[in-house]
Amino acid sequence: MAQREQFAATEVTPRHPREETAPSGPDCSALAEVVQRMRALSSQWPARDGVAVFNRVYLQVTEEIARHIAAGGFPDRRTAITLDVLFARRYLQAVDATGASARPPACWRPLLQYRGHPGVRPIQFALAGINAHIGHDLALAVIDTCRLLECEPDDVEDEFDRVGDLLTLMEERIREDLMPGPDLLEIADPLTHLVGAWSLDRARDGAWSAARLLWGVRELPGLSREFSGRLDSSVGLVGRCLLTPWS
């Protein structure tokens, strides 16, 4: 009940002018459903499961975004909710594909395949999931949002940046919480080098550039599919490197 009241409170937040004319997208109940789905997944998987590690991280991020939306932290609430919900659904679809014995996107396959490997550390699982979700899914979520709300990428840039800022703060906490302690010094140096080579800021920049490019070629379906496929594969390759076992 408290959670529903929290989301309902956003209705009194002043509306952004674009909200008055944009087509309807997902509402606060859809965002609440995404949060509930992630919580349910957390209860289904062992804590050490690699996807469970990422899911815990992403749940924290999504809850933080929901709190900011409820507090009026996004001037264009409708766009923020739409982007966040469509973004999260791409991760959930990848999980569902695995459960249905379907083939998930290439960007998610390394994490889904190595989720139980004993030589992969929690920080690697978390960053591999963030890499897949930011590097590939975020760009496509921007396109999904623009199509649904009938707007341009430039119209969602503020929401993109605000979500990215929250993700950056969460990444800092992740690195602090999940990096190995003194008892694992024998692997700390190579592991620190590996995870330090990946940058969320660069991934965000790449996602925005990819979104703008995909939007620019949206009337050329063959080229759009080719670029999306190459983006998917390249992000998956980075994910496989991030999941290099250490024991």
Side-chain angles (χ1 to χ4, degrees):
M1 178 64 72
Q3 184 185 57
R4 287 196 294 270
E5 291 174 351
Q6 181 188 50
F7 290 133
T10 63
E11 294 301 318
V12 301
T13 304
R15 292 176 178 269
H16 188 280
R18 194 166 71 244
E19 293 189 31
E20 303 297 338
T21 58
S24 178
D27 58 16
C28 292
S29 64
L31 182 54
E33 289 171 4
V34 164
V35 170
Q36 290 298 334
R37 177 74 195 287
M38 291 183 195
R39 288 175 178 164
L41 290 175
S42 290
S43 67
Q44 293 175 15
W45 295 325
R48 184 61 179 76
D49 179 281
V51 183
V53 172
F54 168 74
N55 190 77
R56 287 194 297 272
V57 169
Y58 191 33
L59 174 58
Q60 293 175 30
V61 172
T62 306
E63 290 173 333
E64 188 72 15
I65 292 172
R67 284 191 288 269
H68 274 68
I69 291 173
F74 290 86
D76 188 345
R77 186 183 64 244
R78 178 182 295 168
T79 298
I81 293 173
T82 301
L83 177 60
D84 194 46
V85 169
L86 297 182
F87 184 35
R89 284 177 179 170
R90 285 193 168 272
Y91 155 63
L92 296 173
Q93 288 166 1
V95 172
D96 290 342
T98 303
S101 299
R103 190 170 178 80
C107 62
W108 284 105
R109 286 176 213 154
L111 179 59
L112 293 166
Q113 292 170 355
Y114 282 79
R115 62 193 297 176
H117 197 296
V120 179
R121 304 295 169 177
I123 182 68
Q124 295 174 259
F125 289 133
L127 291 183
I130 295 172
N131 169 70
H133 205 36
I134 301 295
H136 174 264
D137 294 352
L138 184 54
L140 298 188
V142 169
I143 301 302
D144 295 340
T145 299
C146 290
R147 291 186 184 280
L148 184 60
L149 299 185
E150 299 179 3
C151 63
E152 300 284 327
D154 287 348
D155 295 325
V156 306
E157 188 172 7
D158 285 346
E159 288 68 39
F160 178 95
D161 287 340
R162 288 170 185 263
V163 169
D165 290 342
L166 292 173
L167 290 167
T168 298
L169 290 175
M170 294 304 299
E171 185 204 17
E172 294 173 0
R173 297 182 203 171
I174 292 164
R175 291 181 184 273
E176 292 174 359
D177 293 345
L178 297 181
M179 278 300 290
D183 57 326
L184 294 175
L185 285 177
E186 69 273 12
I187 66 162
D189 286 343
L191 183 57
T192 299
H193 176 77
L194 175 68
V195 301
W198 187 85
S199 165
L200 189 145
D201 284 339
R202 289 196 295 270
R204 281 175 55 187
D205 290 345
W208 182 247
S209 296
R212 290 176 62 85
L213 192 154
L214 283 168
W215 187 253
V217 300
R218 65 189 183 282
E219 303 298 335
L220 301 171
L223 184 59
S224 179
R225 284 193 298 271
E226 180 180 354
F227 180 78
S228 296
R230 291 181 183 277
L231 177 67
D232 190 17
S233 298
S234 62
V235 172
L237 179 60
V238 173
R240 176 62 187 84
C241 294
L242 285 169
L243 293 171
T244 300
W246 295 103
S247 61

